[in-house]
């Protein structure tokens, strides 16, 4: 008996040619096939330990397959290495090109303002040839050099050609007609012994109702629900009882962080949170004054139900609980003592977002909204603090 080393099966001499997988073709010849000529056959004389020999053959075959897998793995690693080197080379070349200075850039910088020189004596009526006399390339590139006299000259030139007209602020009665519900919730005066604008509001719900069941912020996001789940647990412990009635402390922000996007509002928000007397709303950017108040979650999604002012005030309940604890403490009851905890709100859109006005004031013939966000904030909080975050537009 012999074993075909290619198929590793036990064969009789007369069946070897028929069973060999290389001899199944229609054009096969015994003289041409190297297997049938016994060039690749190894004579084995099996005995009672026949299975052990077969096991050795199987191990050898698997060993060859493992070498093939390692070879493929090496090819994959080599391709990955070459791809990584190409990417790293492209990144280094891009850094070299963008970091070039003194005329080595492929595209000239658009921020070389040759028309505005550092010399303050340059007037608007000078010709272009006169301006070239004052041009100094090393001092005029205001995108890299803080040439404040040149920047001031640019601003003065722009403002001299623009006519600014003073905006007429709307009357308080007009604002009341525009937002009657808001004026019915927020009072005219706040607690005198609190630095933050706060007041007590009568709570007419019973102990079995959920005070945040209809809050739009809690229904909109799972992250907000976690915050309101905690507020539900501690809500009943912070109700103030007076003459068989329940009152809850309501608060508005003492200051607003506003500005343009990517100007450091989040950084300032994180730093002010470290102050022991500063608290913020339950979420960083409620966007209530400019968006949620009109029912805008995302402008591309259209309008939803408008968020009432109560939903906005609920965001400050956690800070109001801490203020209430100070007011009801023994130190707060002493004469001359007052609460110094203040609340902040950081929605950058409060400064610039007025996208909703065209949908609500479409009958207006003016070029701007008849009522702006600052009109309502000033009506409720004349002493509110506004922290505006701005930045160089090129860097931003």
């Amino acid at each position: 008996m012999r074993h075909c080393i290619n198929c590793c099966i036990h064969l009789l001499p007369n069946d070897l040619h028929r069973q060999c997988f290389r001899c199944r073709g229609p054009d096969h010849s015994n003289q041409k096939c190297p297997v049938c000529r016994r060039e690749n056959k190894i004579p084995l004389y099996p005995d009672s330990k026949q299975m052990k020999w077969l096991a050795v053959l199987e191990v050898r075959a698997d060993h060859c397959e493992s070498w093939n897998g390692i070879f493929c793995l090496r090819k994959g690693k080599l391709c990955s290495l070459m791809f990584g080197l190409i990417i790293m080379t492209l990144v280094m070349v891009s850094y070299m090109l963008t970091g070039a200075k003194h005329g080595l850039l492929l595209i000239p910088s658009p921020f070389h303002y040759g028309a505005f020189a550092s010399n303050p004596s340059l007037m608007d009526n000078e010709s272009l040839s006169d301006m070239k006399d004052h041009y100094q390339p090393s001092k005029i590139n205001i995108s890299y050099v803080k040439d404040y006299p040149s920047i001031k000259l640019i601003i003065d030139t722009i403002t001299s050609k623009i006519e600014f007209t003073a905006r007429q602020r709307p009357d308080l009665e007009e604002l009341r007609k525009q937002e009657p519900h808001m004026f019915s919730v927020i009072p005219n005066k706040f607690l005198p012994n609190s630095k933050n604008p706060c007041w007590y509001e009568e709570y007419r719900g019973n102990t079995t109702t959920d005070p945040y069941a209809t809050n739009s912020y809690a229904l909109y996001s799972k992250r907000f629900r976690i915050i309101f789940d905690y507020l539900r647990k501690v809500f009943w412990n912070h109700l103030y009882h007076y003459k068989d009635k329940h009152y809850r402390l309501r608060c508005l922000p003492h200051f607003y962080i506003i500005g343009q996007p990517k100007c450091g509002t989040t950084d300032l928000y994180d730093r002010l949170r470290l102050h022991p007397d500063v608290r913020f709303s339950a979420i960083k950017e409620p966007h209530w004054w400019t968006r949620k108040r009109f029912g805008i979650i995302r402008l591309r999604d259209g309008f939803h139900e408008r968020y009432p002012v109560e939903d906005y005030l609920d965001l400050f309940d956690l800070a109001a609980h801490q203020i209430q604890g100070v007011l009801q403490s023994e130190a707060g009851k002493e004469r001359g003592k007052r609460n110094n905890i203040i609340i902040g709100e950081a929605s950058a859109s409060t400064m610039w977002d007025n996208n909703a006005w065209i949908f609500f004031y479409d009958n207006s013939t003016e070029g701007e909204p008849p009522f702006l966000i600052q009109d309502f904030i000033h009506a409720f909080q004349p002493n509110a603090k506004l922290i505006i975050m701005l930045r160089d537009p090129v860097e931003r």
Side-chain angles (χ1 to χ4, degrees):
M1 297 184 193
R2 301 180 184 275
H3 287 270
C4 179
I5 198 172
N6 292 311
C7 52
C8 300
I9 58 176
H10 181 257
L11 301 172
L12 295 174
N14 55 353
D15 296 332
L16 178 63
H17 173 72
R18 182 167 52 86
Q19 295 292 336
C20 181
F21 75 97
R22 293 188 179 181
C23 305
R24 296 176 185 175
D27 301 330
H28 174 69
S29 174
N30 293 345
Q31 289 76 18
K32 296 180 180 180
C33 180
V35 177
C36 300
R37 284 186 302 175
R38 300 179 181 178
E39 294 180 359
N40 293 333
K41 294 179 182 178
I42 299 176
L44 299 175
Y45 298 95
D47 50 7
S48 59
K49 300 180 180 179
Q50 177 180 357
M51 296 304 296
K52 292 184 180 180
W53 282 106
L54 292 176
V56 171
L57 290 175
E58 290 178 359
V59 170
R60 289 180 177 178
D62 293 341
H63 185 67
C64 295
E65 293 177 359
S66 64
W67 278 105
N68 292 334
I70 293 175
F71 181 71
C72 295
L73 185 61
R74 289 178 177 176
K75 290 176 63 178
K77 287 184 177 180
L78 183 62
C79 294
S80 301
L81 180 61
M82 295 298 297
F83 182 75
L85 290 175
I86 293 173
I87 294 298
M88 185 174 64
T89 304
L90 293 176
V91 172
M92 293 177 62
V93 170
S94 65
Y95 272 103
M96 293 172 61
L97 291 178
T98 55
K101 295 182 180 180
H102 304 295
L104 296 180
L105 287 174
L106 298 179
I107 302 176
S109 175
F111 305 111
H112 294 277
Y113 295 98
F116 302 98
S118 301
N119 190 357
S121 62
L122 181 62
M123 303 302 293
D124 295 337
N125 55 2
E126 288 184 336
S127 62
L128 184 60
S129 59
D130 297 332
M131 292 179 182
K132 293 181 180 179
D133 298 336
H134 301 280
Y135 177 72
Q136 298 177 1
S138 61
K139 296 182 180 180
I140 301 306
N141 190 358
I142 62 175
S143 62
Y144 295 103
V145 182
K146 300 302 181 182
D147 192 356
Y148 294 105
S150 298
I151 297 176
K152 186 178 183 303
L153 182 61
I154 294 173
I155 296 175
D156 293 340
T157 305
I158 295 174
T159 55
S160 64
K161 298 180 179 180
I162 299 177
E163 182 180 357
F164 293 96
T165 57
R167 178 177 176 271
Q168 186 69 26
R169 192 172 63 189
D171 296 334
L172 184 60
E173 293 301 325
E174 296 179 0
L175 296 175
R176 290 181 183 273
K177 293 178 182 179
Q178 186 66 29
E179 294 287 348
H181 178 71
M182 192 188 308
F183 280 89
S184 65
V185 174
I186 302 177
N188 297 328
K189 295 182 180 180
F190 305 112
L191 296 177
N193 56 344
S194 176
K195 186 176 181 180
N196 196 84
C198 298
W199 70 96
Y200 279 103
E201 177 186 272
E202 183 180 357
Y203 181 72
R204 295 181 174 85
N206 52 43
T207 56
T208 60
T209 59
D210 183 4
Y212 305 105
T214 59
N215 188 284
S216 302
Y217 286 99
L219 299 175
Y220 177 67
S221 173
K222 293 181 179 179
R223 181 168 56 91
F224 301 160
R225 291 177 203 157
I226 298 175
I227 299 173
F228 284 104
D229 287 340
Y230 173 77
L231 291 174
R232 289 187 186 95
K233 297 178 182 178
V234 301
F235 177 79
W236 305 108
N237 299 330
H238 292 87
L239 285 180
Y240 180 67
H241 305 278
Y242 181 74
K243 293 183 179 181
D244 298 332
K245 292 183 179 181
H246 300 285
Y247 296 89
R248 62 187 296 189
L249 188 67
R250 289 291 204 176
C251 295
L252 280 171
H254 176 74
F255 66 93
Y256 298 84
I257 298 178
I258 63 177
Q260 294 295 320
K262 304 300 180 182
C263 289
T265 54
T266 303
D267 181 71
L268 180 63
Y269 168 82
D270 292 333
R271 293 175 185 270
L272 290 178
R273 287 179 61 187
L274 303 176
H275 196 282
D277 292 336
V278 176
R279 303 292 184 271
F280 278 93
S281 54
I283 57 178
K284 175 182 175 289
E285 297 178 335
H287 297 293
W288 183 80
W289 289 102
T290 56
R291 300 174 185 175
K292 306 300 191 299
R293 183 165 65 95
F294 301 101
I296 298 176
I297 299 177
R298 295 180 181 88
L299 192 62
R300 63 177 180 269
D301 297 337
F303 288 90
H304 300 264
E305 293 184 2
R306 302 180 66 175
Y307 287 26
V309 65
E310 290 87 353
D311 293 358
Y312 179 63
L313 296 177
D314 288 344
L315 300 179
F316 307 103
D317 277 0
L318 188 61
H321 294 165
Q322 301 179 12
I323 294 176
Q324 183 180 0
V326 176
L327 294 177
Q328 294 179 353
S329 63
E330 294 297 331
K333 294 180 181 179
E334 297 178 2
R335 181 177 297 180
K337 297 290 183 179
R338 62 178 305 192
N339 165 60
N340 291 323
I341 297 178
I342 58 175
I343 305 175
E345 197 253 87
S347 296
S349 64
T350 307
M351 175 181 176
W352 52 268
D353 194 351
N354 275 319
N355 289 325
W357 83 275
I358 58 175
F359 298 99
F360 292 93
Y361 311 123
D362 53 353
N363 295 327
S364 176
T365 58
E366 301 295 333
E368 63 179 14
F371 307 102
L372 300 180
I373 302 302
Q374 59 263 32
D375 297 331
F376 292 98
I377 295 179
H378 183 267
F380 296 120
Q381 301 173 258
N383 299 323
K385 308 300 181 183
L386 302 177
I387 303 176
I388 304 176
M389 301 293 291
L390 300 176
R391 190 180 179 186
D392 181 2
V394 176
E395 296 179 1
R396 185 172 67 88

